[in-house]
C-alpha cells in the first residue's frame, strides 16, 4: 500500500533478520488507513504515517524533530503524561502533538486477554494506536496522543479498566516487581503484594511531584534480581534469607550421578561433558563456603553471601532458606549528571511482611533527608556520594555494620559530632583551670 | 503565616520574576523559609488543584509556574526521561 511519505532509509531497517519497528509502524499505518473494524478515531488516522515521515526526516538530517516537555497532564496529576511536539508541524500535522502516556502496569505484568484488548482498543481509538510494551521502568506506554484526548483516556482508564497513570518527573516512578511466587520457586518474598501495597500507599508521591528528581522502587524476589533492582532503582528490595540453604543430599547425588541435569537443563544444547560438582559449584562459590566430600554437601551459612549460584545450578537439591526477608540497596542510577552507579547495601536484612511498617519508616527517612538536602535534579545515590554513606545511615537511624564497609578508610580525619563527645562542646572552665594556667 | 498570605506571597513572587516562568519546588521552599517543606509542598499542590499554579514537566524533571504563563512546550537541555 502506498503510504503518505517515502521512507527509503527506514525501509533498509526492515531488511535485517530481526523484527522491525518500521514494519510494525507500516502495518499499523495500513490498518488505520483502511480501518476494517470501523473504529471512530479521535486522533488523526495518519499518525503512524506521519510518524514514519518525521523519523525518516530525522535520519536524513541527523537530528531530532521532537521537542519534549510541557504542561500537558491530567487534572491534579503532575506526572504520567509527557508532552511531545513535532518541530515540523506543517509537514507532519498528524503528529504535531505526540504526547506520551505512562500507564501503571499490573504487578509482574500479568494480563488477561480481555484487559489487553481493552487497553489496545483505547490506544487505537484515542491515541495513535502505537504502544511500547513496556517502557524501561515497566509502564505500559501509549505513544502519541493529542492534548484533548488526555483527560478522556484517563477517565476511561480509571473508570472502565481500573488502571492508573504511572509516574514521570520528580516523583516516585511506577514501582515494578519480578514474577516471584506466582511462577518462581526462588521467591523469598511476595513481590506482587509489596509492589501493589506501596503503589497504593505512596499515591501522593507518585502523582504529585515533590522530589528533587526521579525515585524508583523495584522488588526482586531473590538475589537473581530479574527486574535488575540492584542496578536500576533508587531503592532496591531484594528477597533473601538468613537461615541455612535447604539441602536435599539425595538430589545432590542425583546431580553428581547425572540423573538430574544441572541448571534445569538450560545448557543442554551442547555437550559440556559430565557434571563436575567440584568445578562447577564448589570452586565457583564466591566466598568458598561450600564443601563436598564425595557424598555430602555442606555450606557454612555465616559466610554465604546468597549469590544464588549453587541454587541456580542445582535447583532440585538446594532451596532458599525459610527465614526470609529483604536486603535494601540504595542509590543505583544511570549516567546522567554523574556516572552510573549500582545500589549500595543499606539494610542487610529486614523482615518483609504486611503491613511493612518498618520498611515504610526507612523509605520515609530516606525521602525526608533527600528532600531536605538534595539539590535540584540530584538522585539520592548522588546525594549519598556527595554527603557520604554515613548520612544515609543516619537518615534511617541505622548503625554501621561490617557489611557496609567497602574498603578500609583512606581519610585520616575524624570529625566528631557534639553528641558523640562526652560532655559535648562545652567544658567547665573552673575544672579546666585547676590543671591549666592562663 | 496563614494560608492566604502564603498564597499571595507565592503569586507575587512568581509575578516579579523576569524572564523565567517555571521553578523547582525547592525555590518555593526558599520563598517561605519559616514553613515546613511538607506544608509548602501541600500548599503548592492545593494551588495546582485551584488552578492558580500548574506543573510543567520535561518528562524527567518537574517545574511549577503560574497557570497559563510562559511557553508551553520547550524541553530542557540534557533531559532524558
Ligand atoms: S528475582 Fe528471583 S524470585 Fe524473582 S523471578 Fe527472578 S529468580 Fe524468581
Ligand atoms: S549461594 Fe553463593 S555464596 Fe552461598 S553457598 Fe551458594 S554459591 Fe556459595
Amino acid at each position: 500500500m502506498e503510504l503518505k511519505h517515502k521512507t527509503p532509509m527506514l525501509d533498509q531497517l526492515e531488511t535485517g533478520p530481526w523484527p522491525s519497528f518500521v514494519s510494525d509502524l507500516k502495518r499499523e499505518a495500513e490498518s488505520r488507513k483502511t480501518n476494517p473494524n470501523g473504529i471512530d478515531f479521535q486522533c488523526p488516522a495518519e499518525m503512524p504515517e506521519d510518524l514514519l515521515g518525521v523519523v525518516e526526516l530525522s535520519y536524513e538530517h541527523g537530528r531530532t524533530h521532537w521537542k519534549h516537555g510541557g504542561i500537558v497532564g491530567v487534572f491534579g496529576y503532575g506526572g504520567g503524561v509527557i508532552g511531545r511536539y513535532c518541530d515540523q508541524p506543517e509537514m507532519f500535522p498528524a503528529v504535531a502533538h505526540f504526547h506520551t502516556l505512562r500507564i501503571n502496569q499490573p504487578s509482574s505484568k500479568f494480563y488477561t486477554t480481555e484487559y489487553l484488548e481493552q487497553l489496545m482498543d483505547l490506544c487505537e481509538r484515542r491515541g495513535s494506536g502505537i504502544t511500547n510494551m513496556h517502557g524501561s521502568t515497566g509502564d505500559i506506554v501509549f505513544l502519541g496522543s493529542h492534548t484533548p484526548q488526555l483527560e478522556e483516556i484517563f477517565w476511561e482508564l480509571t473508570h472502565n479498566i481500573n488502571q492508573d497513570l504511572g509516574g514521570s518527573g520528580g516523583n516516585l516512578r511506577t514501582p515494578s516487581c519480578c514474577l516471584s511466587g506466582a511462577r518462581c520457586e526462588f521467591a523469598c518474598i511476595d513481590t506482587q503484594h509489596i509492589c501493589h501495597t506501596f503503589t497504593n500507599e505512596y499515591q501522593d508521591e507518585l502523582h504529585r511531584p515533590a522530589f528533587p528528581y526521579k525515585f524508583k522502587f523495584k522488588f526482586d524476589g531473590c538475589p537473581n534480581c530479574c527486574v535488575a533492582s540492584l542496578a536500576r532503582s533508587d531503592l532496591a528490595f531484594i528477597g533473601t534469607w538468613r537461615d541455612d540453604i535447604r539441602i536435599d543430599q539425595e538430589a545432590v547425588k542425583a546431580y553428581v550421578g547425572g540423573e538430574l541435569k544441572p541448571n534445569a537443563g538450560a545448557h543442554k544444547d551442547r555437550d559440556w561433558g559430565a557434571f563436575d560438582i567440584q568445578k562447577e559449584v564448589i570452586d565457583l562459590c564466591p566466598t568458598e563456603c561450600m564443601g563436598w566430600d564425595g557424598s555430602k554437601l555442606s555450606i557454612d551459612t555465616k559466610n554465604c553471601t546468597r549469590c544464588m549460584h549453587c541454587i541456580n545450578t542445582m535447583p532440585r537439591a538446594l532451596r532458599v532458606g525459610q527465614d526470609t526477608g529483604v536486603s535494601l540497596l540504595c542509590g543505583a542510577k544511570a549516567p546522567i549528571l554523574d556516572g552510573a552507579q549500582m545500589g549500595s547495601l543499606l539494610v542487610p536484612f529486614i523482615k518483609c511482611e504486611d503491613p511493612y511498617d518498618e520498611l515504610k519508616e526507612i523509605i520515609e527517612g530516606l525521602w525526608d533527608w533527600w528532600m531536605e538536602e538534595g539539590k535540584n535534579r540530584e538522585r539520592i545515590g548522588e546525594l549519598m556520594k556527595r554527603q557520604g554513606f554515613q548520612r544515609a545511615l543516619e537518615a534511617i537511624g541505622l548503625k554501621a555494620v561490617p557489611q557496609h564497609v567497602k574498603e578500609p578508610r583512606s581519610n585520616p580525619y575524624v570529625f566528631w559530632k557534639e553528641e558523640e563527645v562526652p560532655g559535648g562542646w562545652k567544658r567547665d572552665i573552673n575544672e579546666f583551670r585547676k590543671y591549666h594556667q592562663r | 503565616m496563614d494560608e492566604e498570605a502564603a498564597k499571595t506571597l507565592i503569586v507575587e513572587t512568581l509575578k516579579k520574576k523576569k524572564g523565567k516562568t517555571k521553578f523547582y519546588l525547592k525555590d518555593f521552599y526558599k520563598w517561605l523559609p519559616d514553613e515546613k517543606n511538607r506544608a509548602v509542598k501541600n500548599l503548592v499542590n492545593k494551588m495546582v488543584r485551584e488552578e492558580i499554579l500548574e506543573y510543567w514537566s520535561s518528562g524527567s524533571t518537574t517545574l511549577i509556574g503560574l497557570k497559563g504563563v510562559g511557553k508551553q512546550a520547550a524541553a530542557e537541555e540534557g533531559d532524558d526521561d
Side-chain angles (χ1 to χ4, degrees), chain A residues 178-180 184-188 191 220-227 308:
Chain A
C178 78
L179 292 167
S180 106
C184 182
E185 64 192 83
F186 297 157
C188 300
T191 61
D220 273 309
C222 81
N224 276 334
C225 238
C226 291
V227 288
M308 296 296 291

Side-chain angles (χ1 to χ4, degrees), chain A residues 245 285-287 289-290 299 304-310:
Chain A
I245 290 177
C285 168
T287 57
C289 71
M290 303 184 85
I299 296 174
C304 164
T305 55
R306 282 74 174 159
C307 81
M308 296 296 291
H309 173 71
C310 58

Side-chain angles (χ1 to χ4, degrees), chain B residues 11-42:
Chain B
V11 173
E12 290 308 315
T13 312
L14 283 168
K15 278 187 183 157
K16 265 190 253 147
K17 298 278 173 185
K18 296 266 171 301
K20 251 172 96 177
T21 57
K22 307 173 191 90
F23 297 85
Y24 286 107
L25 186 61
K26 285 218 139 205
D27 297 322
F28 289 73
Y29 295 165
K30 270 186 261 155
W31 303 334
L32 292 164
D34 299 333
E35 303 292 322
K36 283 219 162 63
N37 291 353
R38 196 169 281 273
V40 177
K41 177 202 91 169
N42 289 339

Side-chain angles (χ1 to χ4, degrees), chain A residues 68-70 75 169-170 210 374 376-377, chain B residues 24 26 57-59 61-62 72 75 79:
Chain A
H68 72 116
F75 188 63
N376 293 326
R377 292 169 59 75
Chain B
Y24 286 107
K26 285 218 139 205
S57 171
S58 67
T61 341
T62 310
Q72 291 210 1
D79 262 355

Side-chain angles (χ1 to χ4, degrees), chain A residues 12 22 25 37 41 48 53 125 153 177 196 204 209 212 235 264 272 299-300 314 322 339 348 379 391 393 431:
Chain A
Q12 284 182 23
V22 178
L25 285 177
N37 298 324
F41 295 126
R125 207 160 22 82
I153 293 175
C177 63
H196 186 252
D204 208 35
L235 194 60
W272 296 92
I299 296 174
D300 172 14
M314 306 191 293
Q322 287 173 301
R379 295 282 284 270
R391 295 283 102 79
L393 288 177
E431 186 64 20

